[in-house]
Amino acid sequence: MAVSWNDIRARAAAFARKWKDAGYEKGETQTFYNEFFEIFGVRRESVALYESRVRFLDNRRGYIDLFWPGQLVVEQKSAGLDLGAARKRAEEYSLALPEIERPRRILVSDFQRFELYDLLEREVQIFRLDELPEVVESFGFILGVQKQPLDQDPASIEAAELLGRLRDTLEAAGYHRPDLDLFLVRLAFCLFADDTGVFEPRDILMEFVEERTGEDGSDLGPFLAHVFQVLDTPVQDRQNTLDEDLARFPHVNGDLFAGPIRIASFDREMREQLLAACRFDWSAVSPAIFGSLFQSVMDPEERRRQGAHYTTEANILKVIEPLFLEDLWSEFEHLKSLRRGREARLRAFQQRLGEMRFLDPACGCGNFLVIAYRELRRLEIQVIREILEPRRDESGALPLRLDVGSLSVLDVDRFYGIEIEEFPARIAEVALWMMDHLMNNELSREFGQAFARIPLERSPHIRCADALEMDWEELLPANECSFVLGNPPFGGAKYQPAEKRDQVRRIAGTVGTLDYVTAWFLRAGEYLRGVEQPEERPRIGFVATNSVTQGEQVGQLWPLLFDRYGLEIAFAHRTFAWGSEAPGMAHVHVVILGLDARERVPKQRWLFSYEDPKGEPEKSRRRALSPYLFDARGLQDPHLVVR
């Protein structure tokens, strides 16, 4: 049974009282940390080792007091000794470890003083033993609960490369698509689940592969096929003769593991590649990794043909912040300041968040939807905190009967996407489920009870189809949609195959030479026009080639958007370099365009300008924006430039 944070705080207080006089390193360390892990309901021996041997670069040997691969190194000293020297020693241990096993955190202590270093976030938590109940959430990683940093590119790319190497080896051995694609998606979810609390206890997949499969890899493929089958089977429908280790895997649902695929045949090298991926700490990986994973397994020429360019989180935020996020945060800050009707207004605001629906009509692997969902969940957590703050007691604890699972009204079924290829469409679904679990962990960490949405009950709506040919209303009626966003395929007018050029001309109703991306703007305009009241139409935020704001394309595209569909530019980013998290990243220059109904477009419009296309933008307020992304009427305040 999961331990609530209220229980954990109480256990931490009892632990601090019991060990208030401890101070002898040799005689007390192991008992001390055995009981420390018990605070969280975790057996130390299930995750960490004592006296783990390590060889330094100069061939000296040392012994780590406590070692949790990928997570934690502890250097323990007797009371009163120098913790600075202890930290230096722990750092030496960390650097001497294989890269795949290097910890994210270092803890040094003399029983009464503690310093916890997060090497990824570059943060340190310093506290005394008697302060442990107040800071115990800093050890949420023991439960697989930890706040994810915004910039996760190194971990995400490394994880993608680990799976990419396994993919290359499997394909070279004759295991081909589409079985290979689905196998990788299922495997990536399992690796993530093994490190983040979806699978309990942690690392059951890694332990089973290490301990129950042969070193030559010959039985690994059938074992993984059996795991996938178990994950697809409700507990009550499983055979009572099922292997006890396999029975520990939960029912996942969501159709991710539904249906058979050809069983992969492994050898010794493939098994070692899988174990390397198992030993990697997937809790530090953003679900946006799946975009990188997909691009890394696509042929470069195929990427260019499709115009696929996958995206960093920072660039996704350039779209979603001015499109909706900044307005929502501003509204929340206003509601926090109210003296009357504050709770009712906050609850109504949260309910509105839960009713919003998002459509990415060229969603690829779902990066835009995933990051939008994460940011909304983070905002919702702050709203819930404000609502519940008056209910905390003097110690800061919330009521014991609080049901954390009932607090959030947001779920992945409010997110819709269209993707022409089957593999990335399935990745988008899985990435949203992964992000949902991370945000449920963050909710648990904030409000003191473990909460996991397994088995999955709701699913994102990802349609595998050609977005330029299907009726978007069939997927999500426009009067129910809040925002249309994304990064449609680019494909310059001069490089389009004849069939795509004809497709764009048919949608535009012209014989011009428009870039492929313009077809998504026109289809979005047509989609919005189906909503009778302009103030109820969804807003648009798209990335585009910068050529749509230059030269002859301006005269062809923008009269259609302005006159035919009644749109105006609400915000824009001028030309900048578009980054990608994928190996062999795309080098393109783009603009971002936010469009809204003319009747609702704000009086003050934001323009983001780049002195250096690879640098950060200047943000300035404008009265009106022309299709060339110049101020049509001049600055509202010539001195107002926000950096």
Side-chain angles (χ1 to χ4, degrees):
M1 180 179 294
V3 183
S4 75
W5 281 107
N6 286 324
D7 288 339
I8 288 172
R9 293 187 192 97
R11 292 181 182 186
F15 176 86
R17 289 193 296 270
K18 177 177 179 179
W19 291 94
K20 62 182 179 64
D21 298 321
Y24 179 42
E25 177 190 352
K26 297 297 184 183
E28 296 179 301
T29 293
Q30 293 191 9
T31 305
F32 181 85
Y33 282 101
N34 284 345
E35 295 188 8
F36 179 82
F37 276 86
E38 287 174 3
I39 293 173
F40 305 90
V42 173
R43 293 184 300 112
R44 187 276 315 162
E45 59 268 28
S46 70
V47 295
L49 304 172
Y50 290 128
E51 299 299 323
S52 182
R53 186 170 65 179
V54 64
R55 185 187 294 272
F56 296 105
L57 297 178
D58 59 5
N59 285 326
R60 289 181 298 117
R61 291 184 178 180
Y63 293 87
I64 304 173
D65 289 335
L66 184 145
F67 176 42
W68 182 352
Q71 284 286 358
L72 181 67
V73 159
V74 174
E75 179 67 9
Q76 187 70 18
K77 295 298 180 184
S78 293
L81 294 184
D82 183 8
L83 293 187
R87 180 191 175 187
K88 183 177 179 181
R89 187 67 166 175
E91 289 173 341
E92 290 178 349
Y93 287 142
S94 178
L95 291 173
L97 290 165
E99 186 173 352
I100 197 70
E101 295 184 348
R102 286 178 186 169
R104 174 172 170 173
R105 301 167 185 82
I106 287 173
L107 176 66
V108 296
S109 171
D110 69 350
F111 294 97
Q112 304 305 314
R113 297 174 297 152
F114 298 81
E115 296 178 5
L116 177 64
Y117 295 89
D118 187 322
L119 304 179
L120 184 62
E121 289 283 277
R122 298 182 180 180
E123 295 178 351
V124 59
Q125 179 83 51
I126 300 174
F127 59 95
R128 301 186 311 274
L129 177 61
D130 60 1
E131 297 172 323
L132 179 60
E134 285 74 47
V135 301
V136 73
E137 286 91 344
S138 299
F139 293 90
F141 65 90
I142 294 175
L143 297 171
V145 176
Q146 54 193 353
K147 187 173 182 179
Q148 297 298 305
L150 175 62
D151 184 6
Q152 299 166 331
D153 290 2
S156 298
I157 291 174
E158 185 175 352
E161 289 173 348
L162 286 169
L163 280 184
R165 286 194 286 272
L166 176 60
R167 177 262 175 205
D168 291 343
T169 309
L170 284 166
E171 186 177 48
Y175 191 61
H176 298 304
R177 305 171 77 173
D179 295 305
L180 175 59
D181 293 344
L182 186 52
F183 176 82
L184 287 172
V185 173
R186 291 177 175 181
L187 183 60
F189 180 86
C190 289
L191 293 168
F192 172 85
D194 217 27
D195 282 345
T196 57
V198 178
F199 296 167
E200 287 289 354
R202 291 167 55 102
D203 293 329
I204 57 174
L205 178 67
M206 182 177 71
E207 290 176 8
F208 206 117
V209 173
E210 285 183 326
E211 299 173 8
R212 297 286 299 275
T213 66
E215 292 184 0
D216 65 358
S218 60
D219 59 349
L220 182 52
F223 158 69
L224 291 173
H226 203 173
V227 169
F228 296 161
Q229 179 180 301
V230 170
L231 291 169
D232 190 46
T233 306
V235 174
Q236 67 274 15
D237 294 337
R238 297 175 181 177
Q239 291 180 230
N240 55 22
T241 54
L242 182 66
D243 182 285
E244 289 184 1
D245 286 329
L246 283 171
R248 293 190 295 170
F249 288 95
H251 176 216
V252 171
N253 204 3
D255 291 333
L256 172 59
F257 298 97
I261 57 174
R262 191 159 56 96
I263 295 176
S265 296
F266 280 70
D267 59 17
R268 186 182 300 272
E269 179 187 359
M270 296 174 191
R271 181 177 181 272
E272 286 303 314
Q273 289 175 333
L274 175 57
L275 281 172
C278 287
R279 292 169 185 142
F280 184 80
D281 180 14
W282 284 71
S283 67
V285 170
S286 163
I289 175 196
F290 282 121
S292 302
L293 172 61
F294 178 51
Q295 191 171 23
S296 73
V297 302
M298 288 175 66
D299 179 79
E301 289 302 316
E302 181 72 4
R303 284 205 302 274
R304 180 173 181 83
R305 187 184 69 81
Q306 293 188 12
H309 298 284
Y310 292 91
T311 317
T312 63
E313 294 185 13
N315 281 342
I316 293 172
L317 290 170
K318 289 178 181 178
V319 176
I320 69 173
E321 284 180 344
L323 181 63
F324 63 87
L325 201 56
E326 290 175 349
D327 288 345
L328 292 175
W329 274 100
S330 295
E331 184 176 354
F332 170 57
E333 292 298 328
H334 168 68
L335 295 176
K336 283 169 56 178
S337 66
L338 295 178
R339 294 186 178 183
R340 295 182 179 179
R342 180 174 175 275
E343 179 175 335
R345 294 279 296 278
L346 284 168
R347 288 190 181 278
F349 177 68
Q350 182 193 8
Q351 191 62 38
R352 183 154 58 85
L353 294 181
E355 293 170 353
M356 291 179 176
R357 287 178 168 85
F358 298 79
L359 171 63
D360 183 345
C363 70
C365 300
N367 291 11
F368 275 78
L369 299 175
V370 166
I371 301 305
Y373 183 59
R374 181 192 69 190
E375 294 303 307
L376 282 175
R377 287 291 302 269
R378 287 180 172 174
L379 172 57
E380 185 195 35
I381 286 172
Q382 297 306 310
V383 175
I384 296 169
R385 174 192 282 179
E386 288 297 318
I387 292 172
L388 295 181
E389 196 63 32
R391 303 187 188 182
R392 295 185 185 272
D393 61 23
E394 293 181 358
S395 69
L398 288 165
L400 291 174
R401 294 184 179 180
L402 181 69
D403 178 11
V404 171
S406 68
L407 294 179
S408 175
V409 300
L410 286 164
D411 209 333
V412 295
D413 62 341
R414 302 294 181 175
F415 289 78
Y416 298 73
I418 306 171
E419 167 54 39
I420 196 167
E421 296 288 337
E422 181 73 23
F423 181 39
R426 301 291 74 81
I427 290 174
E429 293 173 342
V430 174
L432 278 161
W433 281 321
M434 289 171 61
M435 183 56 74
D436 182 60
H437 181 70
L438 289 179
M439 297 317 301
N440 291 337
N441 278 352
E442 199 161 314
L443 187 74
S444 301
R445 181 177 181 271
E446 181 70 33
F447 299 111
Q449 293 178 10
F451 167 53
R453 235 187 309 244
I454 296 291
L456 302 169
E457 295 181 354
R458 298 182 182 179
S459 300
H461 306 274
I462 310 298
R463 180 75 60 83
C464 184
D466 184 344
L468 297 186
E469 299 299 328
M470 72 167 285
D471 184 356
W472 299 3
E473 286 273 344
E474 294 178 1
L475 178 64
L476 175 63
N479 60 2
E480 298 178 9
C481 181
S482 307
F483 302 98
V484 180
L485 72 167
N487 176 20
F490 293 161
K494 295 180 180 179
Y495 302 100
Q496 291 174 31
E499 66 272 15
K500 288 189 176 181
R501 186 177 296 111
D502 292 342
Q503 189 178 35
V504 175
R505 288 174 175 172
R506 174 169 48 81
I507 291 170
T510 68
V511 294
T513 54
L514 289 167
D515 285 358
Y516 193 48
V517 70
T518 62
W520 267 264
F521 283 84
L522 295 167
R523 286 300 313 274
E526 179 184 339
Y527 178 62
L528 269 61
R529 192 166 58 171
V531 181
E532 185 174 346
Q533 299 298 323
E535 62 274 9
E536 296 177 0
R537 292 172 182 167
R539 294 176 172 141
I540 302 169
F542 278 155
V543 183
T545 47
N546 60 0
S547 53
V548 304
T549 62
Q550 301 171 358
E552 62 182 10
Q553 291 203 55
V554 170
Q556 296 176 43
L557 172 66
W558 289 95
L560 299 176
L561 296 176
F562 290 158
D563 301 332
R564 183 189 293 178
Y565 301 122
L567 298 172
E568 293 285 349
I569 301 175
F571 69 88
H573 282 256
R574 283 175 168 161
T575 298
F576 68 97
W578 190 246
S580 168
E581 290 177 344
M585 61 181 289
H587 297 283
V588 293
H589 288 81
V590 303
V591 293
I592 293 173
L593 296 162
L595 305 178
D596 204 347
R598 181 178 297 120
E599 293 83 352
R600 189 178 56 191
V601 72
K603 293 181 179 179
Q604 298 175 347
R605 313 181 193 190
W606 291 110
L607 179 63
F608 300 82
S609 304
Y610 294 79
E611 184 175 344
D612 176 1
K614 296 182 179 179
E616 294 300 312
E618 282 189 344
K619 180 180 179 182
S620 58
R621 186 177 293 153
R622 309 293 174 122
R623 288 184 177 179
L625 294 174
S626 77
Y628 295 101
L629 302 189
F630 289 104
D631 192 338
R633 304 178 191 174
L635 278 170
Q636 179 178 353
D637 180 351
H639 302 291
L640 179 58
V641 177
V642 183
R643 294 183 182 272

